[in-house]
Amino acid sequence: MKAAPEREVDRSVSQTVKAQLALRDQILSGALRPGERISELQAVETTGASRTPVRMALVRLEEEGLLEAIPSGGFMVKAFSERDISDSIELRGTLEGLAARFAAERGVSARELEPLKECLAAIDELLRQVPISIEAFSSYVALNARFHALLTELSRSPPLIRQIDRASALPFASPSGFVMAQSALPEAQQILIIGQEHHRVVIDAIENREGARAEAVMREHARLAVRNLRLALRNRTHLDLLPALALIKTATD
């Protein structure tokens, strides 16, 4: 049975995570706008958490890059340049490329590759829809996230996995960061087909222990996300699919 102080620590950590997720959702849903100030008291009221967990949650969101500390106190919702986002995606792609190379060079069994191949088959099934429905795009987001997580685990490198998790938490840098905004674009199906081909090639490279090829494919795969970013920014008519696009400054803003 846990001692009382341990239970208090667990409760505090749980409240911090809850507050962090709630505040992140408010930012990425567009409820909190770029430049808007968030005070500790305001965050307590909107999340229902107590002050200490909220304070920690605000600091974590600052570390993620979604908030900026104000010298006079409190935090402000940050806006991002297109370069900020593309740099974050490039960083994530570089790390995932390293994970793919480690997997290929260290060797992966057919049994270990099976879950990735199952993901591949499920995505293939979605891509047979013409046109792809919004529901299918939502399913793709989950399958794509699983594929990337499974691939990362094959590296057998806990330090690298931690760094990929950190990079993916950067604003808009996750593997599916722009998929829903992309769903409204005429190029949507073509982009998903290219991404799926990258998935197929990286599995083949890992299976054949071609480390350099596996790394190059994953780095190129991340650049596809940068292309999605540019397309989404040029077509802001469907902000309801990704309200967080309002956080990104373009050259004309």
Side-chain angles (χ1 to χ4, degrees), residues 111-128:
R111 183 177 178 182
E112 289 172 312
L113 279 174
E114 197 54 40
L116 280 98
K117 291 183 177 181
E118 288 172 1
C119 265
L120 205 66
I123 294 172
D124 279 338
E125 189 64 32
L126 290 177
L127 294 182
R128 291 191 184 100

Side-chain angles (χ1 to χ4, degrees), residues 24-36 65-67 76-82 84-85 171-172 233 236 239 242-250 253:
R24 185 194 290 145
D25 184 64
Q26 289 175 36
I27 295 167
L28 297 181
S29 68
L32 293 169
R33 310 295 292 174
E36 188 170 340
L66 286 171
L67 296 178
M76 180 178 72
V77 178
K78 282 185 68 175
F80 304 92
S81 69
E82 189 175 327
D84 292 334
I85 310 303
F172 310 100
L233 289 176
R236 293 188 181 218
L239 270 175
L242 190 59
L245 282 176
L247 296 173
I248 305 175
K249 297 177 294 185
T250 62
D253 287 344

Side-chain angles (χ1 to χ4, degrees), residues 35-40 42-43 54-63 66-78:
E36 188 170 340
R37 186 177 180 276
I38 305 176
S39 68
E40 193 176 294
Q42 174 191 353
V54 159
R55 191 178 301 122
M56 293 173 66
L58 290 167
V59 169
R60 288 185 181 180
L61 289 170
E62 182 191 16
E63 291 170 351
L66 286 171
L67 296 178
E68 181 178 344
I70 302 171
S72 59
F75 294 84
M76 180 178 72
V77 178
K78 282 185 68 175

Side-chain angles (χ1 to χ4, degrees), residues 4-172:
E6 286 184 86
R7 287 198 297 271
E8 286 300 317
V9 169
D10 286 350
R11 191 176 301 117
S12 178
V13 170
S14 174
Q15 278 204 7
T16 297
V17 171
K18 182 181 177 183
Q20 182 181 355
L21 293 175
L23 289 167
R24 185 194 290 145
D25 184 64
Q26 289 175 36
I27 295 167
L28 297 181
S29 68
L32 293 169
R33 310 295 292 174
E36 188 170 340
R37 186 177 180 276
I38 305 176
S39 68
E40 193 176 294
L41 183 59
Q42 174 191 353
V44 166
E45 290 173 354
T46 59
T47 64
S50 54
R51 295 193 72 153
T52 299
V54 159
R55 191 178 301 122
M56 293 173 66
L58 290 167
V59 169
R60 288 185 181 180
L61 289 170
E62 182 191 16
E63 291 170 351
E64 284 185 23
L66 286 171
L67 296 178
E68 181 178 344
I70 302 171
S72 59
F75 294 84
M76 180 178 72
V77 178
K78 282 185 68 175
F80 304 92
S81 69
E82 189 175 327
R83 177 176 288 182
D84 292 334
I85 310 303
S86 60
D87 285 354
S88 296
I89 294 170
E90 183 79 21
L91 174 61
R92 192 253 302 165
T94 299
L95 293 170
E96 286 188 331
L98 183 58
R101 178 161 70 83
F102 279 175
E105 292 176 350
R106 293 172 180 179
V108 174
S109 69
R111 183 177 178 182
E112 289 172 312
L113 279 174
E114 197 54 40
L116 280 98
K117 291 183 177 181
E118 288 172 1
C119 265
L120 205 66
I123 294 172
D124 279 338
E125 189 64 32
L126 290 177
L127 294 182
R128 291 191 184 100
Q129 291 188 28
V130 181
I132 301 177
S133 65
I134 292 294
E135 292 75 18
F137 267 98
S138 297
S139 298
Y140 176 87
V141 168
L143 287 166
N144 189 52
R146 175 167 167 74
F147 183 93
H148 282 255
L150 289 168
L151 181 67
T152 299
E153 289 169 12
L154 292 181
S155 70
R156 299 195 192 95
S157 174
L160 179 56
I161 292 168
R162 283 195 297 273
Q163 292 307 313
I164 291 173
D165 287 343
R166 290 188 66 178
S168 296
L170 292 169
F172 310 100

